[in-house]
Every structure is written in structure tokens, then in C-alpha cells.
Amino acid sequence: MTTHPAHSAPAREVHLAAHFPGVNNTTVWTDPAGGSHIDFDSFERFARTAEAGLFDFLFLAEGLRLREHKGEIFDLDVVGRPETATVLAAVAQVTERLGLAGTFSATFNEPFDLARKLGTLDHLSAGRAAWNVVTTNNAFTGANFRRGGYLDHADRYARAEDFISAARTIWESGGDEAAGAGGDAGPAQPGGRFAHSSRFFDIEGRYPLPRSRQVHPVIFQAGDSPDGRDFAAGSADVIFTRHSELEEGRAFYADISRRLARFGRGEDELKIYPGVTFVLGDTEAEAHERAAHVRRQQVSGPGAIAFLEQLWGRDLTACDPDGPLPEIDPDFDNADITRGRVRHVKDPRPVARAWRERAEAEGLSIRELVIEVSARHSFVGTPGRVAEQMNEYVQQRAADGFILIPHLTPGGLDEFVARVVPELQERGVYRTEYPEGGMLRDNLGLAGYRPEAQWAAARAAARAAEHSIGERSAADEHSTEHSTQSQAAEKETAHV
Ligand SMILES: Cc1cc2nc3c(=O)[nH]c(=O)nc-3n(C[C@H](O)[C@H](O)[C@H](O)COP(=O)(O)O)c2cc1C
């Protein structure tokens, strides 16, 4: 059965991926089924389930310093974070087709070192590596590297773009032809020369590896500002986004399509994957009951107070989580009460006012209010209903696929793979086997790698056009308007 009549365009395929949670506020730590977030067994079990479900990739976020709340490591987060490339190299050995997407900061790494690491992962996995490029937004992390907050927001993106360009140049230098890139010139050789001279890097040398199968590991981007979106449109293959509701997803998709056109790219060249959560049940009522139960486990009393403190910038431990919201206003100057976390709300005062009004109007306690306004479950329902909704998002171009963030590790994908995947397959919108080719690019439906010279030329042409007609400011006005709307929805999330 397919949801689209035979005379319309063929249905777009739904894609799935899996996020192994790091530091986060989705995981229910108290559940007896919850396992380690460090032991390899957990990664292996999780990855094998994702592969059994024919998922595109496993995704690992990264924090280079554990976040702190009121000067302490926040013990309602996970404590401990293994190194991403090492974990993915191990997962490569127990999987065959699953893509391996790791997050690495362009601000606190160096191109040669990271290109070599990711090139190695692409070799070890026969073409399944991806790099989620993040710009890491604070001086708190920089202290690990004796760099402090050495780049402002715009320069972090300028460096990231330059970094990818350098990395792609390095990857390309590794021998003439990659086995998977269509050449028949024999085995690729290491030792090609590279040189990249730019505002941020002045490097030259020899790359100690041959080209890997994908030549360029797939590039992901996560970051939502106009600069971040332009960076994705000009340099990335995939976006990991937090726009997980239908209308905001459609607006985001349309905004990215406009930006892609400026870089001479089509919308199918950049895949959009929101991070989403889900709860299933045998009936709609049961699913909603389970979802409410999970939300209460995710938001404990102390967790609710800490959540409020993040917005208020104040110590609120004197408040009762089962009582009313504090009368006092947020301390605008103390936004750093939680360090190492991505803040999406710029001015907390209108948000606090709206929360207070809502709590009064609906008779909600602090904990109940936090349950309502912190990240909700994206998909709740029977397996059939969830499949239907996901399909709708994809057909309506609110997403190309979804990065599932389960509330339990490592078993949180099991039920989804057993029950929702067959529903999607029955609707004819989900693969029944992995595609030919075996590379992550094939899973994603992306074409082969495109030489860095072409990327650079497209960026230069876009920038030249932008300066002559001021196109960029029009697109940015639109996205600013959109992000104001998201703020009005009073939603705070933290996937990092
Ligand atoms: C969905 C999403 C996921 C992110 N994941 C990470 C991460 O794993 N590690 C990290 O250091 N930063 C992460 N970031 C932070 C971004 O790299 C960036 O520093 C931050 O969003 C500020 O840029 P922006 O103003 O363009 O959004 C993430 C951001 C978003 C929106």
C-alpha cells in the first residue's frame, strides 16, 4: 500500500538514522534497562539494531568538555564521553553497511590531523565515514586547548569552511584513483602532495594514505544561524537539525533550498535530517500514556529545577518542583549558569513571562510546566500511525530522513526497528535491502564526491553574486523571522 495515488510523482523514500546519545536530557537514566554509554557492548548492540533496520548511519555527537551547571558537572547528564573516531573505528568492525557519522569541532582541531583520522575511518569501514562539522560555541571548551574563546561566531564559520576546503584538498591528494571512485588505474598510492594557503591555514605536505573509497567522507553540518545555514549550503552533504515539527521543518527545508540555489546546487544534493524522539504503543491511547510516563521519568523534580535555572540564570533550589513558578525575573547577565551547552533562547525574559502565564492559566507546577515546554516526543502513536506521520514529513519536504534519539540506551531502537520499519516498507517508502555500492553516499542517495575545486568555484560565484545584488540579506531576514517564531513556541532543546 502506498499513500500516494499512482498518477502522482513517485513517493520520496523515507530514510532513518540513529543517534547514540551522549550528554543529553532525553535518556531515562533511572530505567533498569538503561546500559552504559561508554562500554563497547552498548555501541555494538545499538549499531547492530540500526543496521538490522537498514538505517543510513549511526551518529555520535561530541562535547569536548562535560557541561557544568552552577560550577559542577551536572549529574543528571551522562558523565563520561569516549573519543568519537575511536568508537566509530570499533563499530566499523562489527557492521558492514551502516554509515559512521562522527561530530568533530572545526574550531579545536587541525585539518591534517582530522583529515587523516577520517580518511583512516573511511578506509577501515570501506567508505562509510562522515564528519559532522560543528563550530563549538564557547570559551569554556577552548580552555582545554589553551585557546579560550579565540574566535567569534562568524569567524568560527569562516574557519570551518576553510577547514573543510583544506581537508578535501588533503583527501584528494592521496593517490590517483580510489577503488570506489570509478577508476581502473590500479591500487591507489599514498604520498600525494597537498598545499592549502588561506586566511586560517598555511599548510603543505604529503598525505600518508591513499584515497579512501568515498574520497571525501560525507560532510554533515549542525548549526542554525544564517551563517550556519549558508555554510551548509556551500559546503555540506547533510544537515542535522533540531527543526522537528512539520511546519517549521517545511520552512527550514524551503530556506535551505533557496540557499542551495545560490550555490548552484539542487535540493537533492543536501539531505536534511531532524533529530527526533518517539514512543510507540498498541493503541493511540496506550502510546500517549507511555509517552507521558517517559516524560515524567525524563523530567525529575531536581531536573525540572535545573532546567528552569538554565533559563533564569539563578539558583532556584529553594523552589518546590511541585509548586508554582518563581515570581523573580531571570537574571539576564547570568546566561552562563550552565556551561558547555548550546543555548537557543537569546533573551530569557519574554520566555519566562510566557511560561509563568501558561502555568497560571493551566494550573501547572514547575515540573508539569517543564514537561510541557522542554523537548516533546516528536512521534507518539501506534507503529502504523508513526510510519504514516514520518512518511508525511518526507513527502511534504519537511525532512529527507530522521535521526532517531531513543530514550533508552542501548535497547531503545529495538521496538522501532521491529514494528515501524515494516510499516514503512509496507507503504513502499522504505528500503528492503541496502542499496548497491556499499558506501555511506549510497545509503544517503548522494552522487559521488565532487572535487574541491568545484566546491570552491561554486562558493566564489555565490559570494560574487551576493555582493552585487544583496540577495543574502533577503534570505537571512526570512530565517530570522522564522527563528523568532520558534522562540515564540517557547521550546528549548539540547541535543548536544
Ligand atoms: C542540532 C545541533 C546539534 C549540535 N551538535 C553539536 C555537537 O555535538 N557538538 C558541538 O560541539 N556543537 C554542536 N552544535 C553546536 C553548533 O556547532 C554551533 O556551535 C552552535 O549551534 C552555534 O552555531 P549557530 O548559531 O549557527 O547555531 C550543535 C548544534 C545544533 C543546532
Side-chain angles (χ1 to χ4, degrees):
M1 172 179 113
T2 166
T3 50
H4 283 254
H7 59 265
S8 68
R12 282 156 49 81
E13 198 181 48
V14 174
H15 286 253
L16 296 172
H19 185 302
F20 186 98
V23 172
N24 74 94
N25 46 15
T26 303
T27 299
V28 175
W29 305 108
T30 49
D31 193 301
S36 168
H37 285 232
I38 300 177
D39 288 350
F40 184 64
D41 287 354
S42 290
F43 289 102
E44 178 173 6
R45 160 108 196 269
F46 195 79
R48 283 188 190 277
T49 311
E51 192 164 71
L54 306 172
F55 285 23
D56 290 350
F57 55 88
L58 168 74
F59 181 92
L60 299 185
E62 176 148 279
L64 292 166
R65 182 165 174 183
L66 290 176
R67 64 191 188 199
E68 290 174 13
H69 183 62
K70 296 191 288 188
E72 301 288 333
I73 288 178
F74 189 37
D75 59 8
L76 295 169
D77 288 339
V78 65
V79 174
R81 194 149 210 181
E83 197 281 312
T84 303
T86 311
V87 172
L88 292 178
V91 173
Q93 307 315 303
V94 295
T95 51
E96 285 176 10
R97 304 299 303 272
L98 188 66
L100 306 163
T103 299
F104 299 93
S105 169
T107 305
F108 298 111
N109 280 288
E110 292 299 320
F112 176 79
D113 206 22
L114 192 59
R116 179 165 165 256
K117 224 181 237 183
L118 287 159
T120 303
L121 183 63
D122 210 45
H123 276 291
L124 290 177
S125 62
R128 294 185 282 139
W131 169 24
N132 178 38
V133 183
V134 292
T135 48
T136 317
N137 64 355
N138 54 63
F140 174 70
T141 302
N144 269 345
F145 302 92
R146 297 177 70 185
R147 277 190 195 162
Y150 83 115
L151 292 177
D152 67 19
H153 187 275
D155 279 347
R156 288 199 298 272
Y157 277 115
R159 181 182 157 104
E161 184 178 294
D162 201 358
F163 196 127
I164 293 177
S165 174
R168 283 183 168 143
T169 302
I170 293 170
W171 287 321
E172 281 171 26
S173 75
D176 284 340
E177 291 291 347
D184 53 3
Q189 297 299 319
R193 286 188 184 282
F194 67 84
H196 179 96
S197 185
S198 61
R199 176 176 162 209
F200 289 96
F201 309 106
D202 187 9
I203 52 177
E204 54 91 20
R206 282 179 183 273
Y207 183 52
L209 287 168
R211 286 184 179 190
S212 62
R213 256 193 106 188
Q214 295 190 107
V215 185
H216 297 166
V218 174
I219 300 293
F220 287 41
Q221 182 271 358
D224 201 33
S225 60
D227 280 352
R229 294 175 186 208
D230 268 346
F231 165 60
S235 297
D237 303 301
V238 175
I239 297 181
F240 170 38
T241 169
R242 63 192 178 88
H243 296 294
S244 61
E245 282 168 26
L246 186 62
E247 284 312 316
E248 64 168 357
R250 290 182 61 194
F252 180 71
Y253 204 109
D255 179 67
I256 295 297
S257 294
R258 273 191 294 276
R259 290 172 195 273
L260 280 169
R262 297 214 310 272
F263 290 92
R265 300 177 72 198
E267 63 183 4
D268 288 340
E269 293 177 54
L270 178 58
K271 308 291 181 184
I272 298 180
Y273 283 67
V276 300
T277 56
F278 60 89
V279 178
L280 306 175
D282 289 340
T283 62
E284 289 296 300
E286 191 202 50
H288 285 277
E289 227 169 82
R290 281 177 82 182
H293 177 67
V294 172
R295 291 297 290 130
R296 277 192 79 75
Q297 287 179 294
Q298 285 168 326
V299 182
S300 64
I305 297 293
F307 183 90
L308 224 55
E309 287 173 341
Q310 288 172 1
L311 188 85
W312 254 256
R314 294 180 186 281
D315 184 308
L316 300 174
T317 32
C319 292
D320 175 2
D322 297 318
L325 268 73
E327 289 298 326
I328 192 165
D329 275 333
D331 177 354
F332 191 49
D333 299 322
N334 194 20
D336 269 357
I337 190 166
T338 302
R339 310 187 76 195
R341 174 174 176 275
V342 182
R343 281 192 76 85
H344 298 300
V345 170
K346 304 289 178 248
D347 182 354
R349 288 167 298 193
V351 179
R353 253 195 312 279
W355 287 0
R356 219 183 269 129
E357 282 165 17
R358 180 167 176 192
E360 271 164 24
E362 297 177 27
L364 302 176
S365 67
I366 289 178
R367 186 172 177 201
E368 288 163 342
L369 187 275
V370 172
I371 286 172
E372 290 299 318
V373 301
S374 59
R376 281 177 283 273
H377 297 299
S378 319
F379 295 101
V380 178
T382 60
R385 178 86 189 109
V386 167
E388 204 63 65
Q389 284 177 341
M390 288 187 148
N391 186 25
E392 197 56 32
Y393 272 59
V394 172
Q395 304 313 327
Q396 291 208 28
R397 292 184 194 272
D400 292 301
F402 303 93
I403 301 186
L404 303 182
I405 309 172
H407 63 267
L408 281 182
T409 309
L413 293 176
D414 298 1
E415 193 184 4
F416 191 97
V417 167
R419 302 184 68 189
V420 181
V421 165
E423 293 279 350
L424 288 167
Q425 288 168 329
E426 202 179 300
R427 285 164 175 74
V429 292
Y430 194 75
R431 59 172 64 115
T432 50
E433 56 185 24
Y434 273 112
E436 300 277 306
M439 294 186 284
L440 173 55
R441 278 178 194 288
D442 302 309
N443 292 355
L444 296 165
L446 287 171
Y449 93 103
R450 179 181 174 215
E452 170 52 26
Q454 287 179 21
W455 285 101
R459 281 194 298 266
R463 302 250 145 88
E466 178 187 299
H467 286 305
S468 62
I469 54 173
E471 230 181 306
R472 176 166 177 201
S473 51
D476 289 353
E477 250 167 50
H478 175 89
S479 81
T480 310
E481 187 188 306
H482 175 66
S483 74
T484 314
Q485 284 165 7
S486 326
Q487 273 192 24
E490 301 164 14
K491 206 179 64 165
E492 267 272 59
T493 54
H495 287 315
V496 179

Coordinates of all heavy atoms in Angstrom, one line a residue, residues 59-64 81 103 105 132-137 153 156-157 221-229 240-242 342 344 346 495-496, ligand 1:
F59 N 25.0 8.0 14.4 CA 25.5 9.3 14.6 C 26.0 9.5 16.1 O 25.3 9.2 17.0 CB 24.3 10.3 14.3 CG 24.7 11.7 14.5 CD1 25.1 12.5 13.4 CD2 24.6 12.4 15.7 CE1 25.4 13.8 13.5 CE2 24.9 13.7 15.8 CZ 25.3 14.4 14.7
L60 N 27.2 10.1 16.2 CA 27.7 10.4 17.5 C 27.9 11.9 17.6 O 28.6 12.5 16.8 CB 29.0 9.8 17.8 CG 29.1 8.2 17.8 CD1 30.5 7.8 18.2 CD2 28.1 7.6 18.8
A61 N 27.3 12.6 18.6 CA 27.6 14.0 18.9 C 28.9 14.1 19.6 O 29.5 13.0 19.9 CB 26.4 14.6 19.7
E62 N 29.4 15.3 19.9 CA 30.6 15.4 20.7 C 30.6 16.6 21.5 O 30.2 17.7 21.1 CB 31.8 15.4 19.8 CG 33.1 15.6 20.6 CD 34.3 14.8 20.1 OE1 34.4 13.6 20.3 OE2 35.1 15.5 19.4
G63 N 31.0 16.4 22.8 CA 31.3 17.6 23.6 C 32.7 17.4 24.1 O 33.1 16.3 24.6
L64 N 33.6 18.4 23.9 CA 35.0 18.2 24.3 C 35.2 18.5 25.8 O 36.3 18.3 26.3 CB 35.8 19.1 23.4 CG 35.9 18.7 22.0 CD1 36.5 19.8 21.1 CD2 36.7 17.4 21.8
R81 N 32.6 10.6 28.2 CA 32.4 10.7 26.8 C 33.6 10.2 26.1 O 34.6 10.9 26.0 CB 32.1 12.2 26.5 CG 31.6 12.4 25.2 CD 30.7 13.6 25.2 NE 29.7 13.5 24.2 CZ 28.8 14.4 23.9 NH1 28.7 15.5 24.6 NH2 27.9 14.1 23.0
T103 N 30.9 13.6 15.1 CA 31.0 15.0 15.3 C 32.4 15.4 15.7 O 32.9 14.9 16.7 CB 29.9 15.5 16.3 OG1 28.7 15.1 15.9 CG2 30.0 17.0 16.5
S105 N 34.9 19.2 16.1 CA 34.9 20.6 16.0 C 35.9 21.1 15.0 O 37.0 20.7 15.0 CB 35.2 21.1 17.4 OG 35.5 22.5 17.4
N132 N 30.5 15.2 11.0 CA 29.6 16.3 11.4 C 30.4 17.5 11.9 O 31.0 17.4 13.0 CB 28.6 15.8 12.5 CG 27.6 16.9 12.9 OD1 27.2 17.7 12.1 ND2 27.3 16.9 14.2
V133 N 30.4 18.5 11.1 CA 31.3 19.7 11.4 C 30.5 20.6 12.3 O 29.5 21.2 12.0 CB 31.6 20.5 10.1 CG1 32.5 21.6 10.4 CG2 32.2 19.5 9.0
V134 N 31.0 20.8 13.5 CA 30.4 21.8 14.5 C 31.5 22.8 14.8 O 32.7 22.6 14.6 CB 29.9 21.1 15.8 CG1 28.7 20.2 15.5 CG2 31.0 20.4 16.5
T135 N 31.0 24.0 15.2 CA 31.9 25.1 15.4 C 32.2 25.4 16.9 O 33.0 26.2 17.2 CB 31.3 26.3 14.7 OG1 29.9 26.5 15.1 CG2 31.4 26.2 13.2
T136 N 31.5 24.7 17.8 CA 31.7 24.7 19.2 C 31.7 26.1 19.8 O 32.7 26.9 19.6 CB 33.1 24.1 19.6 OG1 33.2 22.9 18.8 CG2 33.2 23.7 21.0
N137 N 30.6 26.4 20.5 CA 30.4 27.9 20.7 C 30.9 28.5 21.9 O 30.3 29.5 22.4 CB 28.9 28.1 20.6 CG 28.1 27.4 21.7 OD1 28.7 26.7 22.5 ND2 26.8 27.6 21.7
H153 N 31.6 34.2 16.5 CA 30.7 33.3 15.8 C 31.0 33.3 14.3 O 31.1 32.2 13.7 CB 29.3 33.8 16.0 CG 28.2 33.0 15.5 ND1 27.7 33.0 14.2 CD2 27.4 32.0 16.1 CE1 26.7 32.2 14.1 NE2 26.6 31.5 15.2
R156 N 34.2 31.6 13.4 CA 34.2 30.1 13.6 C 33.7 29.5 12.3 O 34.2 28.4 11.8 CB 33.3 29.7 14.8 CG 34.0 30.0 16.1 CD 33.4 29.2 17.2 NE 32.0 29.5 17.4 CZ 31.5 30.4 18.2 NH1 32.3 31.2 18.9 NH2 30.2 30.6 18.4
Y157 N 32.7 30.1 11.7 CA 32.1 29.5 10.4 C 33.1 29.7 9.3 O 33.3 28.9 8.4 CB 30.8 30.1 10.1 CG 29.7 29.3 10.8 CD1 28.9 29.9 11.8 CD2 29.5 28.0 10.5 CE1 27.9 29.2 12.4 CE2 28.5 27.3 11.2 CZ 27.7 27.9 12.2 OH 26.8 27.1 12.8
Q221 N 26.5 19.0 8.7 CA 26.6 20.3 9.4 C 25.5 20.4 10.5 O 24.3 19.9 10.2 CB 26.4 21.4 8.4 CG 26.6 22.8 9.0 CD 25.2 23.4 9.4 OE1 24.2 22.8 9.3 NE2 25.3 24.6 10.0
A222 N 25.8 20.9 11.6 CA 24.7 21.2 12.6 C 25.0 22.6 13.2 O 26.0 22.9 13.7 CB 24.8 20.2 13.8
G223 N 24.0 23.5 13.0 CA 24.1 24.9 13.4 C 23.1 25.6 12.6 O 22.9 25.3 11.5
D224 N 22.4 26.6 13.3 CA 21.1 27.0 12.7 C 21.1 28.5 12.3 O 20.1 29.0 11.8 CB 20.1 26.8 13.8 CG 18.7 26.7 13.3 OD1 18.6 26.2 12.1 OD2 17.8 27.1 13.9
S225 N 22.1 29.2 12.6 CA 22.1 30.7 12.3 C 22.2 30.9 10.8 O 22.5 29.9 10.1 CB 23.3 31.3 12.9 OG 24.5 30.7 12.4
P226 N 21.9 32.1 10.3 CA 22.1 32.3 8.8 C 23.5 31.9 8.4 O 23.6 31.3 7.3 CB 21.9 33.8 8.7 CG 20.9 34.1 9.8 CD 21.3 33.2 11.0
D227 N 24.5 32.2 9.2 CA 25.9 31.8 8.8 C 26.0 30.3 8.7 O 26.6 29.8 7.8 CB 26.9 32.3 9.8 CG 27.3 33.8 9.6 OD1 26.8 34.4 8.6 OD2 28.0 34.4 10.5
G228 N 25.4 29.6 9.7 CA 25.5 28.2 9.7 C 24.7 27.6 8.5 O 25.2 26.6 7.9
R229 N 23.6 28.1 8.2 CA 22.8 27.6 7.0 C 23.6 27.8 5.7 O 23.6 27.0 4.8 CB 21.5 28.3 7.0 CG 20.6 27.9 8.2 CD 19.3 28.7 8.2 NE 18.5 28.4 9.4 CZ 17.2 28.5 9.5 NH1 16.5 28.8 8.4 NH2 16.6 28.2 10.6
F240 N 22.1 18.0 10.1 CA 21.4 17.5 11.3 C 20.8 18.8 12.0 O 21.5 19.7 12.4 CB 22.5 16.9 12.3 CG 22.0 16.6 13.6 CD1 20.7 16.1 13.8 CD2 22.8 16.7 14.8 CE1 20.2 15.8 15.1 CE2 22.3 16.4 16.0 CZ 21.0 15.9 16.2
T241 N 19.4 18.7 12.0 CA 18.7 19.9 12.5 C 17.8 19.6 13.7 O 17.5 18.4 13.9 CB 17.9 20.6 11.4 OG1 17.0 21.5 11.9 CG2 17.0 19.5 10.7
R242 N 17.5 20.6 14.4 CA 16.5 20.4 15.5 C 15.1 20.8 15.1 O 14.2 20.8 15.9 CB 17.0 21.2 16.8 CG 17.0 22.7 16.6 CD 17.8 23.4 17.7 NE 17.8 24.8 17.4 CZ 16.8 25.7 17.8 NH1 15.8 25.2 18.4 NH2 16.9 26.9 17.4
V342 N 24.5 24.3 24.3 CA 24.1 25.2 23.2 C 22.8 25.9 23.6 O 21.8 25.2 23.9 CB 23.8 24.4 21.9 CG1 23.5 25.4 20.8 CG2 25.0 23.6 21.5
H344 N 19.6 28.2 22.8 CA 18.9 28.6 21.6 C 18.0 29.8 21.9 O 17.5 30.5 21.0 CB 18.0 27.4 21.1 CG 18.8 26.2 20.7 ND1 19.8 26.3 19.7 CD2 18.8 25.0 21.1 CE1 20.3 25.1 19.5 NE2 19.8 24.3 20.4
K346 N 17.8 33.6 23.1 CA 18.7 34.7 23.3 C 18.3 35.5 24.5 O 19.1 35.8 25.4 CB 18.8 35.5 22.1 CG 19.2 34.7 20.8 CD 20.7 34.3 20.8 CE 21.0 33.5 19.6 NZ 21.3 32.1 19.8
H495 N 20.4 18.9 22.3 CA 20.8 17.6 21.8 C 22.3 17.3 22.0 O 22.8 16.2 21.8 CB 20.6 17.5 20.3 CG 19.1 17.4 19.9 ND1 18.3 16.6 20.6 CD2 18.4 18.1 19.0 CE1 17.1 16.7 20.1 NE2 17.1 17.6 19.1
V496 N 23.0 18.3 22.4 CA 24.5 18.1 22.5 C 24.9 17.3 23.7 O 24.4 17.5 24.7 CB 25.2 19.5 22.6 CG1 26.7 19.3 22.7 CG2 24.9 20.3 21.4
Ligands
LIG1 C1 21.2 20.1 16.1 C2 22.5 20.6 16.6 C3 23.5 19.7 17.1 C4 24.7 20.2 17.5 N1 25.6 19.3 18.0 C5 26.8 19.7 18.5 C6 27.8 18.8 19.0 O1 27.6 17.6 19.0 N2 29.0 19.3 19.5 C7 29.2 20.6 19.5 O2 30.3 21.0 19.9 N3 28.4 21.5 19.0 C8 27.2 21.1 18.5 N4 26.3 22.0 18.0 C9 26.6 23.4 18.0 C10 27.0 24.1 16.7 O3 28.1 23.5 16.1 C11 27.2 25.6 16.9 O4 28.4 25.8 17.6 C12 26.1 26.3 17.6 O5 24.8 25.8 17.1 C13 26.1 27.8 17.3 O6 26.0 28.0 15.9 P1 24.7 28.5 15.2 O7 24.5 29.9 15.8 O8 24.9 28.6 13.7 O9 23.5 27.6 15.6 C14 25.0 21.6 17.5 C15 24.0 22.5 17.1 C16 22.8 22.0 16.6 C17 21.8 23.0 16.1

